[in-house]
């Protein structure tokens, strides 16, 4: 039976809300398929506003991968702002997709990609607006299977009651396999109903179905056991890893937003994974091993994507893009190719020790010289050893001095506050580092108008990292340290320097709630629901976040169970403790993570295993693979520039 668009009911409401264009769809490169011509139907959700969700690479990739399959349909949905939510409830308009404006409840799968745990309340809003029961246990085979993905899916226990399943790791191959399972189940007449469908997914070993696992707890609140409650279900769930990135050159046709979005550029992921070993970085740990996209693959994706989208900037994305083994050749040859076309290249925040001025000059060859961004993360040498961020202040000063000498005027530095073993002095040294950057910049450039911005976030311990056992710093301590830091930046004796230093920071309260959601177990789920019922929406936005709402709900829900907000956050874990995610396998050996945690406490650094012998983290044996890096020695051919006025698609990509 065909599913009708709800746009006739939605359209009269749009003049009454802010930014109505974000709900109308029809973006360049969007796909709308005939409902009845397909067998398997996916709704893909990024649980935040359109302006944040549309540029998300993960959703964009899966959207394109699924829609390339003839009998599979994929459409997108984003969180609606409270003004539209209110009107939708008043007029009976369900949560809809922006492509076909079809109701979410009609789809087979609702895939929700979580980059941050603070999107959980937005998922509940979408489920409720769609008429999908909040609790997975209340759903029938007529409701979509709610599937969580993204980095937060590596501990989905806080939302275990509200999702049907989760996929850990890369999604490209996983969504195709899940589509195959749904197609076969439907062809057989839906035997066994929803339970059988979920069992078939779970027995692959790569899809986690929370209802198939039971937790027991000790009287002191700790987890006692975790295990499957039925046959055909594995003891542990393995993460998915897409090894050959060149075989998955997505997105080929990037979506071009209708409304303003956070990133107005075409993005190409140049490699996946990281082995730098920063102990705070969940993304670096869970995406191992490193897999590089080839220089030809990158060139082909950029050529195709620019022709399809009309973007004028290309972002070369990864966790540390300057670490690509051929980054120098990539940037030089791309700059050669697109010289004169007004096509700019950019790198995200990069490491000081992987950066050089030649690279920066190639990136800015078309005259787009924005500020440079680096992430020392810690203010003192000591704390950088603890977090394994092997960057010296001397290296930073040398790099920024060269940049200022070459004409740059602005440097941004990222730091964290509340790191394990941190003292006031570790944070205050951020001020001295920023002042040294200004001093060095003035000497190198001979000018007084150079600036340095320091941006500081609260540290949140994450699962599957060496810091998963760490006590999180309480908000009052973080706020106190940040006040002292601001005073140090603006001190009277260095006022001429302080005027050129900008400081941006978040208070510690959102971080402690993120910590609760990051390392919580199933008991935290009812806290999320209580916050949502009390009006919690868009918790990742400071103007919508309410610390009081979260603490009130946490006290009411958790304390009768013998645990608390502090128990889940500011308490240090022991080696023997069963962690809520121990049955979810990121590939990393738990013993290795513990040993690295001990090294952190002893202020011992660990090298990057790309260039040194293996440290036995466990990922490569678990994946049956190895790190994949160059250099390949291959070239982008021809190297001749596109030329002013020439179409971007002209340079053919030749084989090496």
């Amino acid at each position: 039976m065909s599913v009708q668009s709800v746009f006739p009911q939605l359209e009269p409401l749009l003049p009454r809300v802010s930014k109505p264009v974000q709900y109308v769809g029809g973006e360049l490169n969007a796909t709308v398929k005939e409902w009845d011509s397909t067998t398997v139907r996916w709704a893909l959700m990024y649980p935040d506003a359109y302006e944040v969700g549309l540029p998300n690479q993960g959703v964009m990739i899966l959207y394109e991968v699924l829609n390339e399959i003839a009998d599979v349909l994929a459409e997108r949905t984003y969180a609606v702002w409270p003004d539209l939510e209110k009107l939708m409830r008043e007029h009976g308009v369900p949560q809809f997709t922006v492509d076909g404006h079809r109701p979410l409840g009609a789809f087979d799968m609702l895939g929700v990609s979580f980059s941050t745990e603070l999107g959980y309340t937005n998922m509940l809003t979408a489920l409720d607006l769609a008429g999908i029961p909040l609790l997975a246990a209340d759903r029938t085979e007529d409701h979509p299977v709610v599937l969580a993905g993204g980095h937060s899916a590596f501990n989905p226990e806080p939302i275990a009651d509200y999702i049907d399943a989760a996929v850990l790791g890369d999604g490209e191959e996983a969504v195709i396999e899940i589509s195959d399972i749904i197609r076969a189940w439907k062809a057989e007449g839906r035997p066994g109903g929803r339970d059988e469908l979920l069992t078939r997914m779970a027995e692959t070993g790569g899809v986690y179905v929370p209802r198939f696992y039971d937790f027991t707890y000790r009287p002191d609140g700790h987890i006692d056991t975790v295990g499957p409650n039925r046959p055909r279900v594995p003891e542990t769930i393995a993460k998915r890893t897409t090894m050959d990135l060149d075989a998955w050159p997505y997105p080929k046709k990037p979506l071009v937003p209708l409304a303003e979005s956070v990133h107005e550029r075409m993005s190409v992921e140049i490699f996946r994974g990281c082995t730098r070993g920063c102990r705070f970085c969940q993304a670096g740990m869970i995406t191992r091993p490193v897999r590089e996209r080839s220089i030809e693959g990158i060139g082909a994706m950029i050529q195709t994507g620019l022709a399809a989208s009309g973007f004028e900037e290309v972002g070369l994305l990864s966790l540390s893009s300057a670490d690509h083994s051929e980054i120098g050749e990539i940037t030089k040859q791309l700059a050669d190719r697109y010289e004169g076309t007004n096509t700019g290249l950019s790198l995200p925040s990069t490491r000081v020790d992987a950066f050089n001025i030649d690279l920066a000059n190639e990136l800015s060859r078309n005259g787009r010289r924005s500020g440079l961004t680096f992430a020392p993360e810690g203010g003192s040498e000591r704390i950088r050893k603890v977090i394994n961020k092997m960057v010296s202040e001397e290296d930073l000063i040398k790099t920024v001095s060269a940049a200022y000498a070459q004409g740059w005027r602005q440097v941004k530095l990222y730091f964290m506050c509340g790191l394990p073993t941190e003292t006031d002095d570790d944070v205050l040294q951020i001020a001295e580092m920023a002042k040294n950057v200004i001093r060095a910049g003035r000497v190198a450039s001979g000018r007084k108008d150079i600036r340095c911005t320091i941006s500081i976030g609260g540290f949140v311990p994450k699962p599957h990292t060496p810091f998963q056992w760490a006590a999180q710093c309480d908000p009052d301590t973080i706020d106190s340290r940040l006040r002292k830091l601001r005073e140090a930046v603006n001190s009277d004796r260095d006022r001429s320097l302080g005027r050129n230093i900008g400081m941006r920071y978040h208070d510690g309260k959102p971080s402690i709630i993120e910590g609760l959601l990051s390392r919580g177990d199933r008991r935290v789920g009812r806290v999320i629901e209580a916050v949502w019922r009390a009006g919690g929406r868009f918790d990742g936005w400071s103007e919508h976040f309410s610390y009081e709402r979260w603490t009130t709900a946490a006290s009411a829900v958790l304390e009768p169970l013998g645990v608390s907000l502090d128990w889940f956050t500011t308490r240090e874990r022991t080696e023997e403790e069963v962690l809520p995610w121990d049955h979810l396998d990121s590939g990393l050996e738990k013993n290795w993570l513990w040993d690295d945690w001990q090294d952190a406490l002893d202020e011992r650094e660990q090298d990057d295993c790309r260039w040194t012998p293996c440290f036995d983290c466990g990922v490569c044996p678990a994946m049956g693979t190895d790190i994949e890096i160059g250099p390949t020695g291959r070239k982008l051919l021809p190297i001749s520039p596109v030329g002013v006025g020439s179409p971007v698609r002209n340079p053919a990509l030749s084989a090496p």
Side-chain angles (χ1 to χ4, degrees):
M1 181 185 296
S2 187
V3 172
Q4 298 301 312
S5 166
V6 302
F7 195 72
Q9 293 79 48
L10 174 68
E11 188 176 21
L13 309 181
L14 295 182
R16 300 165 61 184
V17 302
S18 63
K19 298 182 181 177
V21 69
Q22 65 188 305
Y23 304 117
V24 301
E27 300 93 346
L28 181 63
N29 299 323
T31 301
V32 181
K33 289 187 174 183
E34 289 293 329
W35 186 267
D36 293 335
S37 69
T38 58
T39 306
V40 181
R41 294 126 184 168
W42 286 75
L44 300 174
M45 181 178 193
Y46 191 84
D48 207 327
Y50 175 96
E51 64 200 78
V52 179
L54 184 132
N56 180 261
Q57 284 289 100
V59 171
M60 206 181 294
I61 288 169
L62 299 184
Y63 177 75
E64 201 168 305
V65 166
L66 287 166
N67 277 318
E68 283 189 348
I69 305 170
D71 71 337
V72 176
L73 171 154
E75 298 189 359
R76 297 162 293 124
T77 189
Y78 306 103
V80 299
W81 285 107
D83 58 354
L84 182 58
E85 179 192 344
K86 181 175 182 291
L87 291 172
M88 288 168 66
R89 293 188 185 281
E90 289 174 0
H91 295 270
V93 178
Q95 179 81 21
F96 55 87
T97 59
V98 296
D99 297 292
H101 293 95
R102 289 156 174 154
L104 251 56
F107 289 80
D108 299 306
M109 298 291 299
L110 170 58
V112 190
S113 180
F114 291 104
S115 298
T116 169
E117 297 85 358
L118 292 173
Y120 290 160
T121 50
N122 283 353
M123 177 188 71
L124 296 187
T125 302
L127 292 175
D128 190 56
L129 284 172
I132 300 169
L134 288 188
L135 295 176
D138 295 337
R139 296 174 197 145
T140 70
E141 65 180 83
D142 295 326
H143 296 116
V145 171
V146 180
L147 177 75
H151 288 179
S152 297
F154 278 80
N155 177 27
E157 294 305 328
I159 52 171
D161 289 341
Y162 309 103
I163 62 171
D164 294 293
V167 169
L168 281 62
D170 299 335
E172 292 95 333
E173 293 162 297
V175 295
I176 294 175
E177 291 178 15
I178 291 170
S179 298
D180 291 341
I181 291 170
I182 296 170
R183 183 188 297 109
W185 175 73
K186 283 186 170 184
E188 294 167 23
R190 304 174 184 245
R194 188 182 193 85
D195 198 70
E196 172 64 16
L197 175 60
L198 291 171
T199 301
R200 292 185 184 188
M201 292 181 188
E203 66 185 354
T204 65
V207 179
Y208 175 51
V209 179
R211 75 171 71 172
F212 294 165
Y213 295 79
D214 290 334
F215 279 65
T216 62
Y217 301 94
R218 297 176 181 174
D220 62 2
H222 290 81
I223 297 169
D224 188 27
T225 62
V226 183
N229 55 29
R230 64 186 63 203
R232 297 172 61 188
V233 175
E235 292 282 339
T236 59
I237 303 298
K239 78 167 182 179
R240 303 299 303 259
T241 302
T242 300
M243 290 306 303
D244 183 3
L245 294 189
D246 281 339
W248 299 88
Y250 297 93
K252 299 172 184 174
K253 297 181 178 180
L255 292 164
V256 181
L258 292 177
E260 183 180 1
S261 66
V262 292
H263 298 303
E264 301 281 347
R265 67 187 180 204
M266 177 204 164
S267 297
V268 173
E269 186 182 29
I270 64 173
F271 74 89
R272 199 172 287 182
C274 184
T275 48
R276 285 282 191 167
C278 299
R279 293 173 175 130
F280 59 84
C281 182
Q282 184 189 47
M285 293 289 171
I286 63 177
T287 58
R288 294 182 177 204
V290 168
R291 293 144 285 154
E292 288 189 351
R293 202 181 295 276
S294 72
I295 190 169
E296 305 104 304
I298 294 166
M301 286 184 68
I302 292 173
Q303 176 181 319
T304 302
L306 288 177
S309 67
F311 282 121
E312 294 184 342
E313 182 182 346
V314 178
L316 305 177
L317 303 187
S318 75
L319 292 175
S320 184
S321 293
D323 281 341
H324 192 291
S325 60
E326 296 183 297
I327 190 64
E329 283 301 301
I330 290 168
T331 53
K332 181 183 185 307
Q333 292 179 41
L334 288 174
D336 286 345
R337 169 175 286 183
Y338 295 108
E339 189 164 17
T341 66
N342 203 35
T343 300
L345 301 174
S346 66
L347 291 183
S349 170
T350 189
R351 292 180 62 101
V352 171
D353 52 355
F355 188 84
N356 60 68
I357 293 302
D358 289 340
L359 176 61
N361 283 333
E362 295 296 353
L363 291 168
S364 62
R365 196 194 294 180
N366 280 348
R368 299 184 182 189
R369 181 164 290 195
S370 56
L372 298 175
T373 302
F374 302 105
E377 307 292 3
S380 70
E381 198 84 18
R382 187 198 72 81
I383 203 71
R384 289 195 294 276
K385 288 181 180 178
V386 170
I387 65 177
N388 205 46
K389 189 81 176 187
M390 295 172 287
V391 174
S392 70
E393 184 166 344
E394 181 182 353
D395 289 337
L396 175 67
I397 296 301
K398 197 178 297 182
T399 299
V400 299
S401 294
Y404 286 132
Q406 291 285 321
W408 270 269
R409 295 286 172 264
Q410 170 77 21
V411 169
K412 181 183 288 186
L413 304 177
Y414 282 119
F415 297 92
M416 285 185 290
C417 184
L419 291 160
T421 79
E422 181 184 274
T423 66
D424 288 4
D425 185 62
D426 292 315
V427 176
L428 291 175
Q429 287 192 48
I430 294 173
E432 196 56 36
M433 179 185 287
K435 290 173 184 178
N436 287 338
V437 164
I438 298 292
R439 291 185 185 106
R442 288 176 174 177
V443 171
S445 66
R447 301 172 60 117
K448 294 276 190 179
D449 63 343
I450 54 97
R451 289 189 55 78
C452 174
T453 300
I454 54 177
S455 183
I456 306 154
F459 166 67
V460 179
K462 293 286 185 176
H464 307 284
T465 71
F467 288 167
Q468 64 184 0
W469 290 278
Q472 186 171 355
C473 192
D474 65 274
D476 290 341
T477 300
I478 287 180
D479 292 347
S480 171
R481 287 176 181 163
L482 293 177
R483 279 195 301 272
K484 292 174 183 176
L485 176 60
R486 179 173 284 283
E487 291 168 4
V489 167
N490 296 323
S491 64
D492 289 342
R493 65 185 179 87
D494 294 321
R495 186 164 290 173
S496 68
L497 297 171
R499 279 197 297 265
N500 287 45
I501 299 172
M503 182 173 168
R504 299 175 183 171
Y505 62 88
H506 303 287
D507 66 48
K509 291 176 179 177
S511 296
I512 209 76
I513 300 306
E514 186 180 341
L516 169 70
L517 302 177
S518 172
R519 293 192 292 174
D521 56 39
R522 294 185 183 185
R523 292 170 289 189
V524 172
R526 296 307 166 105
V527 178
I528 300 168
E529 184 177 339
V531 167
W532 173 76
R533 292 192 183 280
R537 307 288 191 275
F538 289 92
D539 286 293
W541 296 67
S542 58
E543 60 267 42
H544 294 275
F545 175 82
S546 167
Y547 184 64
E548 182 181 358
R549 190 157 47 210
W550 280 97
T551 54
T552 299
S555 296
V557 172
L558 299 178
E559 289 176 10
L561 303 175
V563 291
S564 65
L565 174 60
D566 288 343
W567 193 89
F568 281 109
T569 55
T570 59
R571 176 182 63 88
E572 186 171 327
R573 277 68 167 164
T574 63
E575 183 178 8
E576 307 79 44
E577 184 167 340
V578 177
L579 303 174
W581 51 90
D582 278 348
H583 57 303
L584 304 174
D585 185 9
S586 64
L588 296 161
E589 294 285 351
K590 191 175 180 182
N591 289 341
W592 178 82
L593 289 170
W594 176 264
D595 290 343
D596 205 36
W597 168 229
Q598 300 310 298
D599 284 346
L601 296 176
D602 292 336
E603 299 172 19
R604 285 201 299 265
E605 297 170 307
Q606 187 173 96
D607 291 329
D608 185 339
C609 68
R610 264 177 293 191
W611 323 115
T612 58
C614 176
F615 291 113
D616 297 321
C617 74
V619 168
C620 290
M623 299 294 108
T625 185
D626 207 345
I627 292 169
E628 294 187 356
I629 60 170
T632 62
R634 297 174 181 174
K635 303 287 184 186
L636 285 178
L637 299 173
I639 307 274
S640 57
V642 174
V644 178
S646 301
V648 169
R649 62 181 178 273
N650 270 357
L653 191 68
S654 303

